[in-house]
Amino acid sequence: MYYTKLGKNTVNAVRFAEVLQVMARHGFADLLGRAGFRNGLPARVLRSLNLIEAPKGPPETLGARLCAALTELGPTFVKFGQILSTRSDIVGPTLAQELTHLQDNVEPVPFDKMRGVFVETLGEEIETLYATFNTTPVASASLSQVYQATLSGGEKVAVKVQRPGSEKKIEADLSLMRQIADWIAEHMEDAKLLDPAGIVDEFARSIHRELDFNIEARIIDQFAQNFEDMPQVFIPGVYHDFSSSRIITMDWIDGVRVDQLDAYEARNCDPHTMALLGCDVLCRMIFEQRLFHADPHPGNLFITQNNQIAFLDLGMAGHLERTDVAAIADLFLAIFHEDTSACINAILTLTTQGEPHDMHALEHEIAEFIAFEAPTIIGGGQVGRGIETALQILRRYKLELAPRFSLLLKALATIETVGRALDPKFDFVPIIQPYLEHLILMRFHPKQVLKEARLNASALLKLGRQIPDDVGRLLQQMRHGKVRFNIHHEYLENLAHTIDRSSNRQVVGMITAAIIVGSSLIIATDSPLSRLGIGGYIFAGLLGAGLIISILWSRKF
């Protein structure tokens, strides 16, 4: 990618310069240099104007500096950092843990600017929709603000309203982030395995879902249906007549954070019971319902009354296929039963690459992990520690987890941390193991075996019917000379583009030289056409200046 691509969009160019400035000021100049950003035109301009400052103050950790930089860059980058906090297989456990401290609390937008959202999306003023409405927000995030209100029937509700202009700002930042990711993937060899463009695309899908409150409303409805037979779990109901793509009205949760231990006695709750309940509910979400809360930290878990737990921010959800759940069950059971071969097969199922660069070394390291560390981890009920160790092994062998599994493992590690905060003697293994064993037993249930046999037989019959037709079409195309083989050479398009650009510049240079020579000959003849020669000089000068600017402007930054 060249800077001219960014220059096509003035907003992107200015924003890119701002990103360079902020990252350099927070101590990432070396990283910018490795990526080639520091020596290009934008960085040179910023340095000449003294807009790139050296880090100030006492030295900080990498995570603290990155959190500060992302916070300064705004809500899109804060959200991106929060997504990276779930990808310890990419950024490492230490940095991932520090990124969890990124706060999405910002100064609230004045209510006068928020009022218009109600009219635009619901078609009525607030006074008509709600019996009472407190215009002071109870929570303010980068994308939305939450207000307390009551309906005409007396129901107390929470109203989540999207900030005006959020979508446009996010789309502009996503466009810039994707261009930067493409550049990094092309120019940093050690970054190619991380698939920076894929990470940005994953983030874009996540934030687009978060921008559509209709999706969040449907997710909440599904959670409510899943737990309608479990009264100790409170899922706030959605009032669809008072909700839209930018507004969601739901039941008000009368509770406190799950880690506010001094409030337990007044609410007739027990920390040990709540620790067991929170972990059991998440396991049920994952292994039975396959729709789970992706970020069950204490701020998203409330206690109400009589050992009832409530889940907030249910829009942060992950979804699993049946095969995904089976793969997770295989991984945990392989560790529990100290089966190295099954553990490796399960790990490779969870990754995107499929095969490590050194299978024998991976097998040896997994075997040592199971022999020496797994018994201690299992005996101590430390599922989170086991997950962290497994992810460190994946990183060493350049294996990347599929995004849905990253969310899942992050959720499991987070809920275990919450459980231990409530009860230091908490053991997660006895809670998760029955779910895993039930999944394995269900595989051998006669109904399940018969179902899989029927599906496999149907697939084989379908394949058998297709093969003769496919072979016949292939032979017919070969007889008519219509069989084509497409060969794709990586970066060949870039080479063709470079050759084309170089030849164009050579032609412009030759034309400029020819105009100069011709103009000189016309002026030397001392004829009435000498003025035409001067015009030729001017035109040649413009062409030459344009060529020089083009060369400087398109230098890789």
Side-chain angles (χ1 to χ4, degrees):
M1 184 182 69
Y2 296 91
Y3 186 69
T4 50
K5 293 184 179 180
L6 290 176
K8 292 178 182 178
N9 188 322
T10 305
V11 176
N12 267 8
V14 174
R15 181 63 165 157
F16 177 70
E18 181 184 357
V19 171
L20 287 180
Q21 180 185 359
V22 172
M23 296 301 289
R25 188 168 63 250
H26 287 282
F28 293 97
D30 290 343
L31 180 61
L32 296 177
R34 288 178 57 206
F37 293 145
R38 189 167 173 78
N39 298 320
L41 183 61
R44 290 202 302 271
V45 172
L46 290 173
R47 283 200 301 272
S48 66
L49 298 176
N50 294 321
L51 294 178
I52 290 185
E53 305 172 8
K56 298 178 180 179
E60 294 180 302
T61 63
L62 172 64
R65 289 188 286 113
L66 184 57
C67 285
L70 295 177
T71 300
E72 185 174 344
L73 287 172
T76 309
F77 288 85
V78 169
K79 291 287 184 184
F80 185 63
Q82 291 172 341
I83 292 292
L84 286 181
S85 72
T86 69
R87 302 303 306 271
S88 56
D89 58 310
I90 294 177
V91 301
T94 302
L95 182 55
Q97 179 59 36
E98 293 195 70
L99 287 173
T100 61
H101 299 144
L102 273 171
Q103 297 297 315
D104 198 18
N105 298 320
V106 297
E107 287 295 321
V109 172
F111 187 73
D112 289 342
K113 296 182 179 180
M114 304 292 291
R115 179 183 288 273
V117 180
F118 291 86
V119 179
E120 291 174 12
T121 61
L122 296 178
E124 296 185 56
E125 293 286 351
I126 293 174
E127 291 77 10
T128 306
L129 294 167
Y130 304 96
T132 64
F133 194 99
N134 187 349
T135 57
T136 301
V138 296
S140 178
S142 55
L143 300 182
S144 59
Q145 296 178 182
V146 181
Y147 299 88
Q148 187 180 43
T150 56
L151 301 180
S152 57
E155 301 92 342
K156 187 181 290 187
V157 295
V159 184
K160 183 177 177 181
V161 188
Q162 191 174 119
R163 288 175 172 239
S166 297
E167 190 169 358
K168 291 182 179 179
K169 293 178 182 177
I170 287 172
E171 290 299 335
D173 279 345
L174 287 176
S175 174
L176 175 62
M177 291 171 71
R178 180 56 196 262
Q179 290 175 328
I180 293 175
D182 289 339
W183 168 269
I184 291 174
E186 183 178 348
H187 294 85
M188 292 182 67
E189 287 294 328
D190 53 350
K192 290 181 180 179
L193 292 174
L194 298 180
D195 187 18
I199 295 173
V200 172
D201 288 343
E202 173 197 342
F203 168 62
R205 289 191 297 271
S206 173
I207 202 167
H208 282 144
R209 287 195 301 268
E210 195 170 343
L211 284 170
D212 188 351
F213 288 178
N214 286 326
I215 295 176
E216 182 173 351
R218 289 194 293 270
I219 293 173
I220 294 174
D221 287 342
Q222 185 61 57
F223 274 117
Q225 181 180 342
N226 291 345
F227 287 99
E228 60 185 359
D229 61 340
M230 201 169 177
Q232 59 268 50
V233 178
F234 180 79
I235 304 295
V238 176
Y239 295 85
H240 292 278
D241 292 340
F242 302 89
S243 302
S244 67
S245 61
R246 297 172 62 192
I247 297 174
I248 183 168
T249 302
M250 65 192 87
D251 288 324
W252 179 264
I253 298 177
D254 181 16
V256 297
R257 286 171 54 114
V258 72
D259 58 351
Q260 194 171 330
L261 297 179
D262 56 354
Y264 271 69
E265 184 176 354
R267 293 179 176 271
N268 193 30
C269 294
D270 174 61
H272 175 72
T273 302
M274 299 307 296
L276 293 175
L277 178 61
C279 293
D280 184 69
V281 168
L282 185 67
C283 287
R284 182 173 177 176
M285 289 178 177
I286 293 169
F287 298 109
E288 291 185 0
Q289 301 163 357
R290 295 182 289 112
L291 178 69
F292 63 95
H293 196 299
D295 194 18
H297 64 77
N300 286 333
L301 300 176
F302 273 34
I303 60 168
T304 56
Q305 296 285 343
N306 302 320
N307 289 323
Q308 185 186 59
I309 191 169
F311 285 81
L312 282 72
D313 201 8
L314 290 163
M316 290 286 293
H319 178 265
L320 299 170
E321 297 294 332
R322 293 187 184 278
T323 52
D324 297 335
V325 176
I328 289 293
D330 288 340
L331 174 62
F332 279 104
L333 286 174
I335 294 175
F336 291 159
H337 297 157
E338 302 183 14
D339 188 336
T340 302
S341 178
C343 186
I344 291 175
N345 291 333
I347 286 175
L348 295 181
T349 303
L350 306 181
T351 61
T352 55
Q353 287 91 347
E355 291 292 333
H357 62 276
D358 190 342
M359 176 63 82
H360 293 294
L362 175 62
E363 291 175 349
H364 179 69
E365 188 159 353
I366 291 292
E368 287 190 339
F369 165 68
I370 290 178
F372 301 122
E373 297 186 59
T376 303
I377 291 171
I378 295 172
Q382 301 174 22
V383 174
R385 179 184 162 196
I387 291 173
E388 180 181 321
T389 304
L391 292 178
Q392 288 175 351
I393 294 174
L394 291 182
R395 292 184 69 243
R396 282 197 289 273
Y397 290 90
K398 310 298 183 184
L399 293 172
E400 180 186 343
L401 278 179
R404 60 189 183 280
F405 295 124
S406 299
L407 283 176
L408 168 62
L409 297 181
K410 172 69 174 179
L412 288 172
T414 300
I415 199 67
E416 184 185 36
T417 302
V418 172
R420 288 189 177 276
L422 300 180
D423 181 5
K425 297 181 180 179
F426 176 74
D427 188 350
F428 197 8
V429 173
I431 298 175
I432 195 173
Q433 192 162 357
Y435 285 97
L436 302 174
E437 292 175 348
H438 176 71
L439 284 172
I440 299 300
L441 289 175
M442 287 301 297
R443 292 184 190 177
F444 301 101
H445 192 280
K447 289 184 179 180
Q448 184 64 26
V449 173
L450 182 61
K451 179 181 178 180
E452 291 184 3
R454 186 166 59 249
L455 290 174
N456 291 335
S458 176
L460 288 173
L461 288 173
K462 183 179 179 181
L463 180 62
R465 288 194 300 267
Q466 289 178 340
I467 286 177
D469 292 338
D470 291 342
V471 172
R473 281 194 292 269
L474 178 61
L475 292 175
Q476 186 178 15
Q477 289 177 356
M478 292 178 67
R479 284 196 298 268
H480 291 86
K482 294 182 178 180
V483 177
R484 295 183 179 181
F485 296 93
N486 294 324
I487 300 175
H488 173 74
H489 188 283
E490 194 172 6
Y491 304 128
L492 190 60
E493 296 84 356
N494 292 340
L495 176 62
H497 178 70
T498 301
I499 293 174
D500 183 58
R501 187 175 65 251
S502 299
S503 61
N504 289 341
R505 288 175 177 169
Q506 289 176 359
V507 169
V508 172
M510 293 173 63
I511 292 174
T512 302
I515 292 175
I516 293 173
V517 173
S519 299
S520 299
L521 292 175
I522 291 175
I523 292 175
T525 59
D526 197 20
S527 68
L529 297 177
S530 60
R531 291 184 178 179
L532 183 61
I534 295 175
Y537 277 136
I538 295 173
F539 183 59
L542 292 175
L543 283 178
L547 181 60
I548 293 171
I549 292 173
S550 174
I551 294 173
L552 293 176
W553 190 260
S554 62
R555 286 183 64 184
K556 299 178 180 180
F557 54 80

